[in-house]
Amino acid sequence: MSLTQQSAVEQSRLLASGEVSSRELTQAYLDNIASRDSEVGAFLRVDPDAALTQADAADAKRKEGETSPLLGLPVAVKDILCERDQLTTCASRMLAEFRPPYDSTVVAKLRAAGAVLLGRTNMDEFAMGGSTEHSAMQLTRNPWDTTRSPGGSSGGAAAAVAADMAPLSIGTDTGGSIRQPAGLCGVVGLKPTYGRVSRFGLIAFASSLDQVGPLARIVPDAALLFQAIAGHDVHDSTSLNESLPNDLLDSLSQPLKGLRLGYVEEHLGEGVDAEVRSAVETAMTQYESLGATMVKLELPHSKYAVATYYVIAPCEASSNLARYDGVHYGHRSSVAEVEQELASERAAGATAIDSTLVRMYRNSRTEAFGAEVKRRIMLGTYALSAGYYDAYYLKALKVRRLIRQDYDKAFEQVDLLVGPVTAAPAMKLGSLDDDPLAMYLVDLFTVGANLAGIPALSLPCGFTESGLPIGLQLQGPPLAEPSLLRAGTMYQNATDWHTRRALGKTTP
Ligand code: GLN
């Protein structure tokens, strides 16, 4: 097995024992990126020299006796987390030239742990989407079938791990953006409990739903990265003051005894692809053979989750994105052109025309936001406006509470919930271009966890006949990441889906 096919946990051991240096490891990934990323398009930016400089620094620290588990391990970061003085674009023309003057807490924690920041990964613009096709920068392809989408919005992060171009990556999940691309690319993704990971320096989409989390090849790798980024942060008042067990990683090898897994029958019914259903059902049987009991239960309000999410998320987005006016932040339309435009309107006899300032705001936003972002801003602004607020936003908040209560009730009966991540495997690129509603429905099984603030894990549980990965989702009560990760490890120890490789033709 080549170095880049090893798990991050194993690479961490090789680094610790001195069998491998961070420079060698980082170079191996840079080589994979150089040979594969022209086909996949996972990375927006990679700076090999900067990565190798960090690798050398990690090797030097190791010599001085430092032992952090992430020391010298390469990590790819979704282009939504601020990195000091480095472009942080959110895959938007609006932020095409934005260089934050500070590090997000997640990036700062990665630096402090000695990780090598390998590069920045592609995403849907402002994380709005489920296919990475809304990126204003480039297309990302699914490494298992390059005519298909990797999912989104953390599509670059998932594709980078799936194609062995990074052992670990950071994504964000507002309605499924870690779990869905992980599922569609055959890798592991964890959306932590709301507040587990600091959002300081995370460019906001929908602040009450956004969470940062890890993507990796195997569950213990995800746990390794999760442990490094989790924790309370004085810069984020919504971050939780809860710590993870120090022995999290060691505890993963102990199977959960008497595990009670709940499932919802409709989530395996109509509308779910037959191959997805059968892979998830097989995974449930495997859990039973590992000693788990299956409990059928109901989440009566889950059928309203997508509708609720697509009111709340756009409302929060419309208010978060108000700051991009070309003055406070973001792309500024040329004032000279604005003045020319206004002069010609005046000359043509127009009376009620904008001031230069208002037209400059308008043009800046018109030019720099993509169609999907504009759609969300319009939806959100509408739902928040006087007269509609009660009918849409307030009602959505009430349904959100009911969804949370459904989960609370479910977790009185079971430890975790099991089901599919998405109803279908990866879609063809371009296939949902003209159908935003169909694209929103892809989020059916993932948005519930965000609305309720609970943690959820996605892991590979099979492949379709045509070779596309299928994802299994486990959801747990707040702060149940240790159990989720243990249950995921239990499954991976008994199965070998996670050992399959994308780009088999090119992987030695
Ligand atoms: N697909 C969902 C959306 O478009 C979720 C995105 C996300 O989690 N960032 O809003």
Side-chain angles (χ1 to χ4, degrees), residues 331-364:
H331 164 82
R332 182 182 301 175
S333 183
S334 147
V335 175
E337 277 171 32
V338 165
E339 272 166 357
Q340 228 169 36
E341 198 176 292
L342 293 172
S344 62
E345 284 173 29
R346 239 177 255 121
T351 45
I353 58 169
D354 296 335
S355 67
T356 309
L357 180 69
V358 166
R359 183 63 61 88
M360 193 274 289
Y361 285 157
R362 179 193 289 185
N363 288 7
S364 300

Side-chain angles (χ1 to χ4, degrees), residues 4 33 109 112 137 151 179 193 195 226-227 261 324 356 370 375 386:
T4 55
I33 293 170
K109 281 185 175 242
M137 306 300 177
R179 290 160 288 156
T193 307
F226 172 52
Q227 196 156 31
L261 289 178
Y324 303 106
T356 309
R375 180 157 34 234

Side-chain angles (χ1 to χ4, degrees), residues 418-463:
V418 61
V421 180
T422 52
M427 53 248 177
K428 284 271 184 199
L429 286 165
S431 62
L432 298 182
D433 275 359
D434 305 324
D435 196 347
L437 215 53
M439 183 69 98
Y440 296 170
L441 286 171
V442 173
D443 304 327
L444 192 59
F445 301 134
T446 49
V447 293
N450 302 77
L451 290 166
I454 60 171
L457 180 71
S458 163
L459 65 167
C461 71
F463 287 82

Side-chain angles (χ1 to χ4, degrees), residues 24 72-73 77 92 171 190 197 341 358 362 394 482 484:
E24 284 169 277
L73 275 182
V77 178
S92 178
L190 173 71
V197 180
E341 198 176 292
V358 166
R362 179 193 289 185
L394 208 59
L484 277 178

Side-chain angles (χ1 to χ4, degrees), residues 180 184 266-278 280 419-427 438 441-446 464 469-471 473:
Q180 186 254 31
L184 301 183
E266 299 91 85
H267 293 185
L268 289 163
E270 206 189 321
V272 178
D273 176 276
E275 288 179 290
V276 170
R277 185 187 315 158
S278 116
V280 171
V421 180
T422 52
M427 53 248 177
L441 286 171
V442 173
D443 304 327
L444 192 59
F445 301 134
T446 49
T464 64
I470 297 171
Q473 178 172 229

Side-chain angles (χ1 to χ4, degrees), residues 78 127-130 152-153 172-177 205 309-310 376 443:
K78 184 177 181 179
M128 296 173 191
S153 65
T172 59
D173 192 311
T174 304
S177 282
F205 163 9
Y309 172 86
Y310 277 99
R376 306 280 177 119
D443 304 327

Side-chain angles (χ1 to χ4, degrees), residues 245-433:
N246 286 332
D247 65 347
L248 178 67
L249 224 57
D250 294 333
S251 74
L252 299 183
S253 51
Q254 301 152 28
L256 288 160
K257 294 218 174 70
L259 178 64
R260 294 165 305 163
L261 289 178
Y263 68 97
V264 177
E265 207 164 48
E266 299 91 85
H267 293 185
L268 289 163
E270 206 189 321
V272 178
D273 176 276
E275 288 179 290
V276 170
R277 185 187 315 158
S278 116
V280 171
E281 283 171 351
T282 307
M284 288 161 60
T285 317
Q286 274 159 329
Y287 267 114
E288 283 182 305
S289 68
L290 294 170
T293 30
M294 288 297 153
V295 181
K296 188 175 119 184
L297 42 76
E298 315 255 308
L299 293 173
H301 298 93
S302 68
K303 52 179 171 296
Y304 305 118
V306 169
T308 308
Y309 172 86
Y310 277 99
V311 173
I312 294 176
C315 284
E316 294 188 20
S318 72
S319 115
N320 273 325
L321 270 59
R323 73 191 68 172
Y324 303 106
D325 57 11
V327 178
H328 291 95
Y329 277 104
H331 164 82
R332 182 182 301 175
S333 183
S334 147
V335 175
E337 277 171 32
V338 165
E339 272 166 357
Q340 228 169 36
E341 198 176 292
L342 293 172
S344 62
E345 284 173 29
R346 239 177 255 121
T351 45
I353 58 169
D354 296 335
S355 67
T356 309
L357 180 69
V358 166
R359 183 63 61 88
M360 193 274 289
Y361 285 157
R362 179 193 289 185
N363 288 7
S364 300
R365 289 168 71 85
T366 304
E367 287 161 13
F369 283 140
E372 183 60 28
V373 174
K374 286 177 184 159
R375 180 157 34 234
R376 306 280 177 119
I377 293 173
M378 283 190 281
L379 281 171
T381 308
Y382 179 81
L384 285 176
S385 55
Y388 296 106
Y389 184 94
D390 290 3
Y392 294 107
Y393 184 64
L394 208 59
K395 185 170 272 168
L397 289 183
K398 291 179 183 168
V399 182
R400 181 179 191 175
R401 171 59 60 93
L402 294 173
I403 289 170
R404 169 66 189 251
Q405 285 170 352
D406 283 355
Y407 278 112
D408 289 345
K409 272 196 210 126
F411 292 126
E412 284 168 13
Q413 293 178 61
V414 296
D415 303 304
L416 306 173
L417 293 168
V418 61
V421 180
T422 52
M427 53 248 177
K428 284 271 184 199
L429 286 165
S431 62
L432 298 182
D433 275 359

